[in-house]
């Protein structure tokens, strides 16, 4: 065969043609490919299952840990509630003790005042003799217009004879900016007259004995400023006294005493 000048010459190899062997080679190639695919699939499945089991195990461990933590939180919450309840009980107990102590102190102070008062009657000084307005007590109630009251008048003397006379109590204040004076008998059912009759040897309490308090109901819109108490002794050595007690704003108060 004549070569063309200037062109590259390639060698040709002549081999025998075997179609069966060629077919077997193709089949072997596809079998290997399928085997590799199947192996990859099963390996993937195995790894996936192992990973799933691992995740489930870790999830179970975490769930157990969460349950344990929940139990601890519940236990601590119960302990905290018990401690809080105990603290509240202690506070309530302490407050009850404080209130009882304050009550005892108030009662003790009242007793001391009573002893001092009785001594002043039985052992008078030269400067304090005869009819005296000893004190006017006033206490608030749940009704902002209603108050409890008690007036005490005394006779201070070395020789005590029965004292006769009259007393009057007037609540002085304003309503709509206008000055008003209201006699006690107009706002209290415990006294039936403006002039309250007196008749005692040592002392007399109004409206009654044994620490009894009367009730007064202030008119709507009336703003009290002070209480004016007047008392006069009749008969021999007649005497007239008066005393002004300023009205205070506290819920429970002693308007004044002398």
């Amino acid at each position: 065969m004549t070569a063309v000048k200037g062109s590259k010459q390639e060698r040709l190899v002549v081999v025998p043609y075997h179609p069966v062997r060629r077919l077997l080679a193709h089949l072997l190639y596809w079998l290997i490919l399928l085997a590799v695919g199947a192996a990859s699939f099963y390996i993937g499945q195995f790894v996936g299952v192992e990973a799933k089991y691992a995740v489930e195990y870790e999830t179970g461990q975490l769930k157990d840990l969460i349950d344990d933590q929940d139990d601890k939180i519940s236990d601590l919450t119960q302990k905290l509630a018990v401690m809080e309840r105990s603290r509240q009980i202690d506070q309530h107990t302490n407050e009850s003790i404080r209130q009882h102590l304050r009550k005892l102190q108030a009662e003790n102070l009242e007793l001391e005042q009573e002893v001092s008062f009785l001594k002043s009657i039985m052992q008078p000084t030269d400067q304090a003799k005869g009819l005296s307005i000893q004190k006017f007590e006033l206490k608030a109630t749940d009704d902002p217009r209603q108050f409890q009251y008690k007036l005490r008048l005394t006779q201070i003397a070395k020789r005590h004879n029965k004292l006769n006379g009259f007393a009057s109590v007037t609540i002085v204040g304003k309503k709509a900016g206008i000055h008003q004076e209201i006699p006690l008998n107009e706002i209290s059912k415990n006294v039936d007259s403006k002039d309250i009759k007196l008749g005692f040897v040592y002392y007399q309490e109004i409206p009654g004995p044994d620490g009894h308090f009367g009730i007064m109901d202030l008119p709507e819109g009336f703003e009290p400023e002070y209480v004016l108490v007047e008392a006069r002794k009749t008969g021999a050595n007649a005497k007239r006294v008066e005393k002004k007690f300023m009205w205070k704003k506290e819920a429970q108060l002693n308007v004044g005493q002398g």
Side-chain angles (χ1 to χ4, degrees):
M1 183 176 184
T2 304
V4 180
K5 186 178 181 180
S7 62
K8 184 179 179 180
Q9 297 297 317
E10 295 181 355
R11 286 187 173 188
L12 298 176
V13 178
V14 178
V15 295
Y17 176 69
H18 298 286
V20 175
R21 186 180 299 175
R22 185 180 180 88
L23 179 62
L24 290 175
H26 279 288
L27 288 173
L28 181 62
Y29 169 78
W30 285 108
L31 286 174
I32 293 172
L33 185 63
L34 288 174
V36 170
S40 299
F41 173 77
Y42 284 111
I43 291 172
Q45 285 287 93
F46 176 77
V47 172
V49 170
E50 288 296 315
K52 177 183 177 183
Y53 287 154
V55 170
E56 289 178 349
Y57 176 77
E58 291 181 3
T59 302
Q61 291 289 95
L62 290 175
K63 186 176 182 302
D64 291 341
L65 181 60
I66 291 172
D67 291 341
D68 184 58
Q69 293 295 98
D70 285 342
D71 291 340
K72 290 180 179 179
I73 291 172
S74 178
D75 183 56
L76 289 174
T77 302
Q78 291 178 359
K79 289 181 179 178
L80 181 61
V82 171
M83 292 174 63
E84 178 65 19
R85 180 58 180 166
S86 178
R87 185 184 65 83
Q88 291 176 354
I89 292 174
D90 289 342
Q91 286 182 339
H92 178 72
T93 302
N94 292 337
E95 181 60 27
S96 298
I97 292 173
R98 283 193 292 268
Q99 290 180 359
H100 185 61
L101 179 59
R102 285 195 293 266
K103 182 180 179 182
L104 291 177
Q105 289 173 338
E107 290 175 353
N108 186 59
L109 177 60
E110 186 175 350
L111 289 174
E112 289 178 353
Q113 291 175 345
E114 289 298 312
V115 170
S116 177
F117 161 64
L118 293 174
K119 284 183 178 180
S120 69
I121 293 178
M122 304 308 297
Q123 300 174 1
T125 63
D126 293 335
Q127 289 77 21
K129 285 187 177 181
L131 176 62
S132 174
I133 302 170
Q134 202 260 333
K135 68 177 178 178
F136 184 87
E137 292 184 82
L138 188 69
K139 294 183 179 181
T141 66
D142 294 336
D143 186 339
R145 309 304 301 174
Q146 188 177 85
F147 294 85
Q148 293 181 315
Y149 69 90
K150 180 171 64 177
L151 171 63
R152 178 188 285 174
L153 301 105
T154 64
Q155 178 183 200
I156 301 176
K158 291 183 178 180
R159 296 182 60 185
H160 289 83
N161 298 314
K162 186 176 180 180
L163 183 149
N164 294 304
F166 297 92
S168 64
V169 179
T170 305
I171 316 302
V172 182
K174 292 181 180 178
K175 183 174 183 179
I178 301 175
H179 178 84
Q180 284 193 351
E181 297 182 2
I182 305 177
L184 181 61
N185 65 296
E186 292 186 4
I187 55 175
S188 175
K189 297 179 180 179
N190 300 101
V191 292
D192 54 11
S193 174
K194 180 179 180 179
D195 292 322
I196 304 168
K197 189 174 181 179
L198 302 178
F200 62 93
V201 175
Y202 296 105
Y203 68 93
Q204 181 172 337
E205 291 182 338
I206 298 170
D210 302 325
H212 178 65
F213 279 80
I215 297 292
M216 68 168 72
D217 294 283
L218 298 181
E220 191 68 34
F222 176 76
E223 297 299 328
E225 296 177 351
Y226 61 90
V227 179
L228 179 63
V229 179
E230 298 176 274
R232 62 184 185 275
K233 176 187 175 184
T234 58
N237 301 318
K239 182 180 180 179
R240 180 183 177 279
V241 292
E242 70 174 42
K243 202 166 192 177
K244 182 188 293 186
F245 300 96
M246 300 307 297
W247 194 284
K248 298 180 182 179
K249 300 296 184 181
E250 290 83 353
Q252 182 168 336
L253 54 119
N254 184 341
V255 175
Q257 65 181 41

